[in-house]
Amino acid sequence: MSMARVTFQIAENPPARLDKALARDVPAEAALSRTRLAKLLAGGSISIDGVTQTDPKAKVQEGAQIEISVPVADESHIGPEDIPLDIIFEDDDLVVINKPAGMVVHPAPGTPNGTLVNALLHHCGDTLSGVGGSKRPGIVHRIDKETSGLLVVAKTDRAHQGLATQFEKHTVERYYNAVVYGVPDAHDPRLRGVRGVNFETSNIMKITTHLARHKTDRQRQAVLFEGGRHAVTRSRIVEGFGNPEVASLVECWLETGRTHQIRVHLTHAGHSLIGDPTYGGRRKLSEKALSPAGVAAAKAFPRQALHAAVLGFVHPVTKEELRFEAAIPADMASLIEALRAKKQV
């Protein structure tokens, strides 16, 4: 394997730990993320004044000469596939995709091909400069296979590092559209008794819990109040359906981004997503409240009615504030129209 050499000196007042000093002083053009630096350090690829160092907690002095041996990016073991993509934005560092429902983001044992990563490898070709030592797109966040909508993917290590930091700090703007059973309204007395659910001004429902993998069903996430990972979801009603209203279109936004977060949280509040096969989205809707078309459309909807509609972040290289929107896809739009249909008297 061929190697590239990155050399630099530690600047004044270095942090107490070597790993932090490296992250601070490594040249930006080297495009080495903290994660990548940690792997290179552990692998014996970093020397200080000619002596190999592997301890991230080691001390380092101002003026120390650092040399990093970086493997030149290999071709990814994942194969490129010519799959059409709805590209919203692209430059040398990143690409924003409007993912269709039914597409998996990353290959896994059950879905080795046909994924977004396979499609991006074909689309980007030689424009990928290498993420984590391999010529592949950098996935910094995911949306479920049957959820549609916006994703940003890094094409370079520097973009991957900058985007990952924003997601870790929860500064990325993410809004979702969901069609749910019931109407999550502050005037519903039932919701006052649901732990972790409260309402802010303007009828905004805030759900605060912890989430962790379900103890017996490894494909599901479970709500906890001790252990797991902190998760916060907010939502507001956009439109109610039926007379009386028995379903609604809601807008959700994330303070944290955990696996299945919106689906689990809304189910916890008693407002599971129409069509959700995992979290109880097969409830019956009242035929007295909706038209036959609305009842039939909800019953037949084949996926969770969830769409990642808005994605906003700071470009990790140009520092420009970017914000993208993707319209509700045709299948969800048809569901909404059917739910709006007036019941014939």
Side-chain angles (χ1 to χ4, degrees):
M1 179 184 293
S2 59
M3 295 281 183
R5 305 288 176 186
V6 177
T7 59
F8 60 97
Q9 283 188 322
I10 296 297
E12 62 181 351
N13 299 320
R17 292 171 53 116
L18 172 61
D19 55 357
K20 296 183 182 299
L22 293 172
R24 185 194 72 172
D25 292 343
V26 67
E29 59 268 23
L32 293 174
S33 66
R34 290 175 184 270
T35 301
R36 187 84 194 284
L37 284 167
K39 290 179 179 178
L40 290 166
L41 185 63
S45 297
I46 299 179
S47 66
I48 305 174
D49 294 330
V51 179
T52 299
Q53 178 60 264
T54 58
D55 182 6
K57 297 179 182 179
K59 295 187 182 303
V60 63
Q61 302 298 319
E62 175 185 338
Q65 186 71 24
I66 307 297
E67 181 173 303
I68 306 176
S69 299
V70 184
V72 174
D74 296 324
E75 297 297 328
S76 171
H77 69 282
I78 302 168
E81 295 180 48
D82 188 1
I83 301 170
L85 290 172
D86 183 3
I87 295 174
I88 306 300
F89 173 86
E90 183 176 14
D91 66 9
D92 291 343
D93 289 286
L94 57 86
V95 57
V96 177
I97 308 290
N98 183 15
K99 185 188 83 69
M103 176 181 273
V104 173
V105 172
H106 198 282
T111 50
N113 46 44
T115 72
L116 178 64
V117 169
N118 295 114
L120 284 169
L121 283 168
H122 179 273
H123 169 77
C124 296
D126 290 337
T127 65
L128 293 171
S129 70
V131 172
S134 180
K135 288 185 178 178
R136 60 178 174 83
I139 304 299
V140 289
H141 69 128
R142 306 186 189 204
I143 54 178
D144 299 333
K145 175 183 178 181
E146 297 300 343
T147 299
S148 57
L150 295 171
L151 272 166
V152 59
V153 180
K155 295 167 65 176
T156 64
D157 225 348
R158 63 180 181 176
H160 190 262
Q161 179 182 359
L163 289 169
T165 298
Q166 291 180 60
F167 277 94
E168 288 168 7
K169 292 182 176 179
H170 311 306
T171 58
V172 178
E173 179 185 15
R174 285 177 288 175
Y175 283 83
Y176 291 74
N177 300 127
V179 185
V180 304
Y181 292 98
V183 183
D185 192 289
H187 295 100
D188 182 352
R190 179 191 63 80
L191 283 171
R192 294 195 208 107
V194 180
R195 186 177 178 186
V197 175
N198 61 69
F199 282 85
E200 300 175 329
T201 56
S202 303
N203 204 22
I204 292 172
M205 181 172 70
K206 180 183 179 183
I207 305 173
T208 306
T209 74
H210 290 196
L211 296 178
R213 196 182 293 273
H214 196 280
K215 287 184 178 180
T216 58
D217 185 346
R218 308 302 286 174
Q219 303 304 311
R220 292 164 59 96
Q221 298 289 310
V223 165
L224 305 173
F225 291 94
E226 292 182 3
R229 304 179 74 188
H230 178 67
V232 180
T233 304
R234 287 180 173 84
S235 68
R236 69 175 185 87
I237 303 161
V238 177
E239 182 178 356
F241 306 114
N243 185 19
E245 293 179 345
V246 293
S248 54
L249 171 64
V250 298
E251 180 181 61
C252 307
W253 57 103
L254 301 175
E255 187 172 308
T256 58
R258 311 304 184 200
T259 301
H260 298 178
Q261 180 174 317
I262 290 173
R263 298 164 63 190
V264 182
H265 266 173
L266 289 178
T267 298
H268 173 69
H271 296 286
S272 56
L273 275 64
I274 286 177
D276 192 328
T278 305
Y279 296 99
R282 295 297 177 190
R283 288 155 50 177
K284 289 186 177 180
L285 288 171
S286 170
E287 295 183 5
K288 295 181 179 179
L290 292 168
S291 70
V295 173
K299 184 178 181 180
F301 201 70
R303 67 177 182 97
Q304 63 264 11
L306 184 62
H307 174 65
V310 174
L311 180 64
F313 56 91
V314 175
H315 192 291
V317 179
T318 69
K319 306 307 179 185
E320 179 184 0
E321 291 188 4
L322 301 176
R323 189 177 192 271
F324 305 97
E325 297 186 28
I328 289 176
D331 63 343
M332 276 182 65
S334 295
L335 170 65
I336 291 166
E337 284 302 314
L339 291 169
R340 282 177 180 152
K342 302 296 185 184
K343 180 174 172 59
Q344 299 299 316
V345 179

